[in-house]
PDB file of all heavy atoms in Angstrom:
ATOM      1  N   MET A   1       0.848  -1.195   0.000  1.00  0.00           N
ATOM      2  CA  MET A   1       0.001  -0.004   0.009  1.00  0.00           C
ATOM      3  C   MET A   1       0.891   1.246  -0.008  1.00  0.00           C
ATOM      4  O   MET A   1       0.890   1.992   0.962  1.00  0.00           O
ATOM      5  CB  MET A   1      -0.895  -0.011   1.227  1.00  0.00           C
ATOM      6  CG  MET A   1      -1.963  -1.083   1.183  1.00  0.00           C
ATOM      7  SD  MET A   1      -3.187  -0.778   2.437  1.00  0.00           S
ATOM      8  CE  MET A   1      -4.104  -2.307   2.379  1.00  0.00           C
ATOM      9  N   GLN A  20       6.791  -6.016  -1.464  1.00  0.00           N
ATOM     10  CA  GLN A  20       5.739  -6.615  -0.624  1.00  0.00           C
ATOM     11  C   GLN A  20       4.383  -6.535  -1.316  1.00  0.00           C
ATOM     12  O   GLN A  20       4.005  -5.497  -1.833  1.00  0.00           O
ATOM     13  CB  GLN A  20       5.701  -5.866   0.715  1.00  0.00           C
ATOM     14  CG  GLN A  20       4.682  -6.421   1.717  1.00  0.00           C
ATOM     15  CD  GLN A  20       3.342  -5.694   1.636  1.00  0.00           C
ATOM     16  OE1 GLN A  20       3.305  -4.469   1.587  1.00  0.00           O
ATOM     17  NE2 GLN A  20       2.251  -6.442   1.635  1.00  0.00           N
ATOM     18  N   TYR A  22       0.051  -7.791  -1.275  1.00  0.00           N
ATOM     19  CA  TYR A  22      -1.128  -8.465  -0.754  1.00  0.00           C
ATOM     20  C   TYR A  22      -1.765  -9.177  -1.947  1.00  0.00           C
ATOM     21  O   TYR A  22      -1.583  -8.732  -3.088  1.00  0.00           O
ATOM     22  CB  TYR A  22      -2.129  -7.428  -0.204  1.00  0.00           C
ATOM     23  CG  TYR A  22      -1.693  -6.751   1.082  1.00  0.00           C
ATOM     24  CD1 TYR A  22      -1.357  -5.408   1.085  1.00  0.00           C
ATOM     25  CD2 TYR A  22      -1.628  -7.472   2.259  1.00  0.00           C
ATOM     26  CE1 TYR A  22      -0.970  -4.789   2.266  1.00  0.00           C
ATOM     27  CE2 TYR A  22      -1.233  -6.856   3.446  1.00  0.00           C
ATOM     28  CZ  TYR A  22      -0.922  -5.528   3.434  1.00  0.00           C
ATOM     29  OH  TYR A  22      -0.532  -4.925   4.609  1.00  0.00           O
ATOM     30  N   THR A  48       2.521 -10.836   2.147  1.00  0.00           N
ATOM     31  CA  THR A  48       1.976 -10.631   3.481  1.00  0.00           C
ATOM     32  C   THR A  48       0.685 -11.442   3.641  1.00  0.00           C
ATOM     33  O   THR A  48      -0.228 -11.313   2.825  1.00  0.00           O
ATOM     34  CB  THR A  48       1.701  -9.131   3.724  1.00  0.00           C
ATOM     35  OG1 THR A  48       2.946  -8.437   3.673  1.00  0.00           O
ATOM     36  CG2 THR A  48       1.070  -8.885   5.089  1.00  0.00           C
ATOM     37  N   LYS A 120       5.302 -13.320   4.866  1.00  0.00           N
ATOM     38  CA  LYS A 120       5.389 -12.392   6.022  1.00  0.00           C
ATOM     39  C   LYS A 120       4.112 -12.470   6.834  1.00  0.00           C
ATOM     40  O   LYS A 120       3.005 -12.297   6.292  1.00  0.00           O
ATOM     41  CB  LYS A 120       5.585 -10.961   5.520  1.00  0.00           C
ATOM     42  CG  LYS A 120       5.551  -9.890   6.614  1.00  0.00           C
ATOM     43  CD  LYS A 120       5.944  -8.537   6.059  1.00  0.00           C
ATOM     44  CE  LYS A 120       5.909  -7.455   7.097  1.00  0.00           C
ATOM     45  NZ  LYS A 120       4.566  -6.930   7.390  1.00  0.00           N
ATOM     46  N   SER A 142       6.137 -12.156  12.054  1.00  0.00           N
ATOM     47  CA  SER A 142       5.605 -10.794  12.254  1.00  0.00           C
ATOM     48  C   SER A 142       4.184 -10.865  12.771  1.00  0.00           C
ATOM     49  O   SER A 142       3.430 -11.749  12.384  1.00  0.00           O
ATOM     50  CB  SER A 142       5.628 -10.044  10.903  1.00  0.00           C
ATOM     51  OG  SER A 142       5.002  -8.798  11.014  1.00  0.00           O
ATOM     52  N   HIS A 144       2.584  -7.969  12.360  1.00  0.00           N
ATOM     53  CA  HIS A 144       2.207  -6.739  11.670  1.00  0.00           C
ATOM     54  C   HIS A 144       2.398  -5.517  12.611  1.00  0.00           C
ATOM     55  O   HIS A 144       1.616  -4.553  12.567  1.00  0.00           O
ATOM     56  CB  HIS A 144       0.762  -6.820  11.179  1.00  0.00           C
ATOM     57  CG  HIS A 144       0.536  -6.143   9.849  1.00  0.00           C
ATOM     58  ND1 HIS A 144       0.566  -6.821   8.655  1.00  0.00           N
ATOM     59  CD2 HIS A 144       0.286  -4.844   9.529  1.00  0.00           C
ATOM     60  CE1 HIS A 144       0.333  -5.976   7.656  1.00  0.00           C
ATOM     61  NE2 HIS A 144       0.168  -4.771   8.161  1.00  0.00           N
ATOM     62  N   GLY A 145       3.415  -5.617  13.453  1.00  0.00           N
ATOM     63  CA  GLY A 145       3.663  -4.518  14.359  1.00  0.00           C
ATOM     64  C   GLY A 145       2.562  -4.357  15.396  1.00  0.00           C
ATOM     65  O   GLY A 145       2.304  -3.255  15.905  1.00  0.00           O
ATOM     66  N   ARG A 147      -0.574  -4.550  14.909  1.00  0.00           N
ATOM     67  CA  ARG A 147      -1.642  -3.716  14.350  1.00  0.00           C
ATOM     68  C   ARG A 147      -2.846  -4.516  13.863  1.00  0.00           C
ATOM     69  O   ARG A 147      -3.816  -3.964  13.398  1.00  0.00           O
ATOM     70  CB  ARG A 147      -1.102  -2.895  13.176  1.00  0.00           C
ATOM     71  CG  ARG A 147      -0.059  -1.880  13.598  1.00  0.00           C
ATOM     72  CD  ARG A 147       0.875  -1.565  12.435  1.00  0.00           C
ATOM     73  NE  ARG A 147       0.209  -1.021  11.286  1.00  0.00           N
ATOM     74  CZ  ARG A 147      -0.200   0.242  11.171  1.00  0.00           C
ATOM     75  NH1 ARG A 147      -0.022   1.076  12.171  1.00  0.00           N
ATOM     76  NH2 ARG A 147      -0.787   0.662  10.080  1.00  0.00           N
ATOM     77  N   ASP A 175      10.203  -9.199  12.478  1.00  0.00           N
ATOM     78  CA  ASP A 175       9.979  -7.758  12.674  1.00  0.00           C
ATOM     79  C   ASP A 175       8.971  -7.537  13.788  1.00  0.00           C
ATOM     80  O   ASP A 175       8.288  -8.443  14.235  1.00  0.00           O
ATOM     81  CB  ASP A 175       9.597  -7.030  11.385  1.00  0.00           C
ATOM     82  CG  ASP A 175       8.129  -7.176  10.975  1.00  0.00           C
ATOM     83  OD1 ASP A 175       7.316  -7.679  11.781  1.00  0.00           O
ATOM     84  OD2 ASP A 175       7.812  -6.770   9.847  1.00  0.00           O
ATOM     85  N   GLY A 176       8.972  -6.275  14.264  1.00  0.00           N
ATOM     86  CA  GLY A 176       8.043  -5.910  15.337  1.00  0.00           C
ATOM     87  C   GLY A 176       8.799  -5.497  16.570  1.00  0.00           C
ATOM     88  O   GLY A 176       9.467  -6.313  17.218  1.00  0.00           O
ATOM     89  N   GLY A 177       8.769  -4.211  16.885  1.00  0.00           N
ATOM     90  CA  GLY A 177       9.342  -3.735  18.144  1.00  0.00           C
ATOM     91  C   GLY A 177      10.860  -3.620  18.163  1.00  0.00           C
ATOM     92  O   GLY A 177      11.440  -3.467  19.227  1.00  0.00           O
ATOM     93  N   ARG A 179      13.695  -1.576  18.252  1.00  0.00           N
ATOM     94  CA  ARG A 179      13.895  -0.135  18.507  1.00  0.00           C
ATOM     95  C   ARG A 179      15.327   0.201  18.868  1.00  0.00           C
ATOM     96  O   ARG A 179      15.721   1.372  18.832  1.00  0.00           O
ATOM     97  CB  ARG A 179      12.994   0.309  19.688  1.00  0.00           C
ATOM     98  CG  ARG A 179      11.521   0.141  19.427  1.00  0.00           C
ATOM     99  CD  ARG A 179      11.040   1.109  18.340  1.00  0.00           C
ATOM    100  NE  ARG A 179       9.632   0.939  18.073  1.00  0.00           N
ATOM    101  CZ  ARG A 179       9.103   0.123  17.160  1.00  0.00           C
ATOM    102  NH1 ARG A 179       9.902  -0.616  16.405  1.00  0.00           N
ATOM    103  NH2 ARG A 179       7.803   0.069  16.987  1.00  0.00           N
ATOM    104  N   GLY A 198      10.070  -1.292  10.957  1.00  0.00           N
ATOM    105  CA  GLY A 198       8.950  -0.534  10.422  1.00  0.00           C
ATOM    106  C   GLY A 198       8.919   0.898  10.932  1.00  0.00           C
ATOM    107  O   GLY A 198       9.499   1.806  10.320  1.00  0.00           O
ATOM    108  N   ARG A 199       8.290   1.105  12.067  1.00  0.00           N
ATOM    109  CA  ARG A 199       8.054   2.482  12.525  1.00  0.00           C
ATOM    110  C   ARG A 199       9.290   3.334  12.765  1.00  0.00           C
ATOM    111  O   ARG A 199       9.253   4.533  12.452  1.00  0.00           O
ATOM    112  CB  ARG A 199       7.146   2.457  13.765  1.00  0.00           C
ATOM    113  CG  ARG A 199       5.692   2.428  13.338  1.00  0.00           C
ATOM    114  CD  ARG A 199       4.801   1.923  14.416  1.00  0.00           C
ATOM    115  NE  ARG A 199       5.039   0.517  14.674  1.00  0.00           N
ATOM    116  CZ  ARG A 199       4.248  -0.244  15.410  1.00  0.00           C
ATOM    117  NH1 ARG A 199       3.201   0.271  15.981  1.00  0.00           N
ATOM    118  NH2 ARG A 199       4.521  -1.531  15.571  1.00  0.00           N
TER     119      ARG A 199
HETATM  120  C1  FMN B 301       1.970   2.831   8.918  1.00  0.00           C
HETATM  121  C2  FMN B 301       2.261   1.356   8.675  1.00  0.00           C
HETATM  122  C3  FMN B 301       1.881   0.800   7.467  1.00  0.00           C
HETATM  123  C4  FMN B 301       2.142  -0.559   7.235  1.00  0.00           C
HETATM  124  N1  FMN B 301       1.780  -1.101   6.033  1.00  0.00           N
HETATM  125  C5  FMN B 301       2.100  -2.381   5.768  1.00  0.00           C
HETATM  126  C6  FMN B 301       1.804  -2.938   4.514  1.00  0.00           C
HETATM  127  O1  FMN B 301       1.276  -2.307   3.607  1.00  0.00           O
HETATM  128  N2  FMN B 301       2.158  -4.248   4.299  1.00  0.00           N
HETATM  129  C7  FMN B 301       2.759  -5.012   5.285  1.00  0.00           C
HETATM  130  O2  FMN B 301       3.059  -6.185   5.048  1.00  0.00           O
HETATM  131  N3  FMN B 301       3.029  -4.500   6.483  1.00  0.00           N
HETATM  132  C8  FMN B 301       2.708  -3.211   6.745  1.00  0.00           C
HETATM  133  N4  FMN B 301       2.988  -2.691   7.981  1.00  0.00           N
HETATM  134  C9  FMN B 301       3.616  -3.552   9.007  1.00  0.00           C
HETATM  135  C10 FMN B 301       5.128  -3.501   8.874  1.00  0.00           C
HETATM  136  O3  FMN B 301       5.533  -4.069   7.640  1.00  0.00           O
HETATM  137  C11 FMN B 301       5.833  -4.264   9.966  1.00  0.00           C
HETATM  138  O4  FMN B 301       5.395  -5.594  10.024  1.00  0.00           O
HETATM  139  C12 FMN B 301       5.698  -3.627  11.338  1.00  0.00           C
HETATM  140  O5  FMN B 301       5.575  -2.223  11.271  1.00  0.00           O
HETATM  141  C13 FMN B 301       6.931  -4.001  12.165  1.00  0.00           C
HETATM  142  O6  FMN B 301       6.843  -3.471  13.436  1.00  0.00           O
HETATM  143  P1  FMN B 301       7.593  -2.123  13.902  1.00  0.00           P
HETATM  144  O7  FMN B 301       6.872  -0.994  13.271  1.00  0.00           O
HETATM  145  O8  FMN B 301       7.454  -2.213  15.386  1.00  0.00           O
HETATM  146  O9  FMN B 301       9.044  -2.240  13.435  1.00  0.00           O
HETATM  147  C14 FMN B 301       2.758  -1.348   8.241  1.00  0.00           C
HETATM  148  C15 FMN B 301       3.137  -0.766   9.453  1.00  0.00           C
HETATM  149  C16 FMN B 301       2.885   0.575   9.675  1.00  0.00           C
HETATM  150  C17 FMN B 301       3.333   1.193  11.006  1.00  0.00           C
END
Side-chain angles (χ1 to χ4, degrees):
M1 290 193 191
Q20 182 266 315
Y22 290 112
T48 297
K120 173 172 179 281
S142 174
H144 217 95
R147 295 154 59 78
D175 80 10
R179 298 292 180 270
R199 275 160 292 193

